Amino acid sequence: MSIVAIVSVTIITPNIWKNFSTYPVGTIFPILGFVSLAGMFFLSIQKKDVYAFVSSSIFIGSMLSVTAYGLFPNLLPANSDQNYSITIYNASTDEYGLKIGFLWWIIGIILASFYFLYLYRSFRGKVDKITTDIEY
Amino acid sequence: MYVVLDGFDIGVGILLRIIGKTEKDRDVLIKSIGPVWDGNEVWLLVVGGILFFTFPKLYASSFSGFYLPLIIVLWLLIARGIGIEFRHIIDNPVWKLFWEYLFSFASVLLSIFFGVALGNVVRGVPLNPEGYFFEPLWTTFTIVPAAGIIDWFTIIIGMVSFFTLTSHGANYIVMKPKARYSSGQETLLKFRGGVFY
């Protein structure tokens, strides 16, 4: 499926690889994607389940990063006329809005991070019929 | 963050009726995501919030142009939520079966729709000079002249998304719940990476 996706993306938007040749540092993302894919396969055979799950997470993250890096600076490309594309430059709010947004982002991300730390910490370990008393 | 975290509980939803052959197995599978599935969706709200205050033009354009698929996604998220929460209310096999199938069906469609949405972003949309666009749900399934939201390319990306999240869910199922599976399902889980990708 990965190969089919890469081929079809190349057919539809050949320019998506342009950023990778202009700024080769971004090739770390596809490399990471293929390494994590192979890692997931071998780690699952070796029954290293936690690492296999981490590899799967890295694979998803790296594939989305490849897409974002390839499309940059476009956020929503136009197939009608490239000049109509929505980019990070023409879509962003003004500087004051970005500053205020950044401050709220810091507060929000701290709250969300603590919530997630608490949530996943209280839910660590294996789950079976006995250890969970909440009905779902 | 959202795709990685909510991705595994969507994957568990897809595999619920395949891996969980007995009611006890399905109980364990649902309990394994029970406390976290709604928390994972917090990141979806974070994405919406960040778009709203940093890229309002993108927010306006995409929420307008993708109105129909976004409403479908919203209903699928609701269906997943009530599928989990209503399942245990009445201890009746038919009742449980209905909500389990609804949960699985919504998870399958949601995984495909997320891929279709990504496919639309990669392919591009027919934006006008004002930054707005409209796409029907489908036209002729071809890219030109006027592509719909669903065409052959976005279906491929949708299927990639489906298999990726299924595999991600399978990895979670092996890691988290202490359930017993039949030998056939063990084989499926052993090859959870290679077969799907």
Side-chain angles (χ1 to χ4, degrees), chain B residues 34-197:
Chain B
V36 293
W37 74 268
D38 45 358
N40 292 337
E41 288 178 1
V42 165
W43 295 106
L44 201 59
L45 301 176
V46 171
V47 171
I50 289 174
L51 274 186
F52 181 70
F53 69 70
T54 54
F55 300 107
K57 191 179 172 186
L58 174 68
Y59 180 89
S61 179
S62 55
F63 275 64
S64 167
F66 290 130
Y67 187 77
L68 180 60
L70 280 172
I71 292 295
I72 293 172
V73 163
L74 191 64
W75 275 106
L76 292 173
L77 287 170
I78 292 168
R80 270 171 50 82
I82 59 174
I84 291 180
E85 299 295 339
F86 281 21
R87 179 182 174 270
H88 71 274
I89 289 177
I90 300 174
D91 193 16
N92 177 293
V94 178
W95 174 269
K96 285 193 170 186
L97 195 72
F98 173 77
W99 294 113
E100 283 167 6
Y101 270 110
L102 181 72
F103 178 58
S104 289
F105 178 71
S107 300
V108 168
L109 283 186
L110 203 55
S111 68
I112 295 170
F113 259 86
F114 282 142
V116 168
L118 184 67
N120 271 271
V121 172
V122 171
R123 185 204 61 203
V125 293
L127 284 160
N128 66 19
E130 285 77 40
Y132 285 98
F133 68 96
F134 170 77
E135 279 185 314
L137 203 52
W138 68 80
T139 53
T140 55
F141 293 96
T142 54
I143 306 294
V144 285
I149 285 163
I150 301 170
D151 60 35
W152 68 264
F153 172 70
T154 58
I155 287 172
I156 287 176
I157 304 299
M159 293 317 293
V160 170
S161 167
F162 169 75
F163 286 125
T164 303
L165 296 186
T166 307
S167 176
H168 194 46
N171 277 301
Y172 183 78
I173 288 170
V174 177
M175 184 185 73
K176 194 71 179 174
K178 204 189 281 181
R180 295 187 192 91
Y181 308 110
S182 71
S183 57
Q185 288 149 9
E186 278 282 11
T187 311
L188 171 72
L189 293 176
K190 273 180 190 169
F191 290 97
R192 58 195 184 264
V195 170
F196 285 141
Y197 290 119

Side-chain angles (χ1 to χ4, degrees), chain A:
Chain A
M1 284 307 296
S2 295
I3 293 165
V4 173
I6 290 167
V7 171
S8 56
V9 166
T10 308
I11 292 167
I12 297 296
T13 51
N15 287 337
I16 203 164
W17 307 114
K18 198 176 164 187
N19 279 346
F20 292 93
S21 54
T22 314
Y23 308 104
V25 68
T27 49
I28 188 77
F29 296 124
I31 291 168
L32 200 61
F34 283 111
V35 168
S36 57
L37 184 61
M40 188 175 59
F41 181 72
F42 290 113
L43 289 165
S44 56
I45 288 173
Q46 292 171 9
K47 294 196 172 178
K48 292 181 177 173
D49 301 328
V50 176
Y51 293 117
F53 179 74
V54 171
S55 282
S56 174
S57 304
I58 293 171
F59 175 75
I60 292 171
S62 55
M63 286 299 103
L64 291 174
S65 302
V66 167
T67 311
Y69 196 86
L71 290 176
F72 187 85
N74 290 318
L75 294 170
L76 191 61
N79 59 9
S80 45
D81 183 338
Q82 285 296 311
N83 295 322
Y84 300 158
S85 294
I86 294 178
T87 67
I88 59 159
Y89 304 113
N90 66 19
S92 71
T93 186
D94 62 11
E95 200 174 329
Y96 176 75
L98 286 175
K99 274 183 188 167
I100 298 295
F102 183 62
L103 286 174
W104 277 107
W105 181 82
I106 291 172
I107 296 166
I109 207 75
I110 289 171
L111 279 173
S113 302
F114 272 112
Y115 167 63
F116 268 80
L117 275 175
Y118 171 75
L119 181 66
Y120 278 88
R121 194 171 162 73
S122 60
F123 190 54
R124 64 187 183 277
K126 293 272 184 184
V127 173
D128 61 21
K129 183 77 178 165
I130 301 151
T131 55
T132 52
D133 52 355
I134 309 162
E135 278 296 333
Y136 284 102

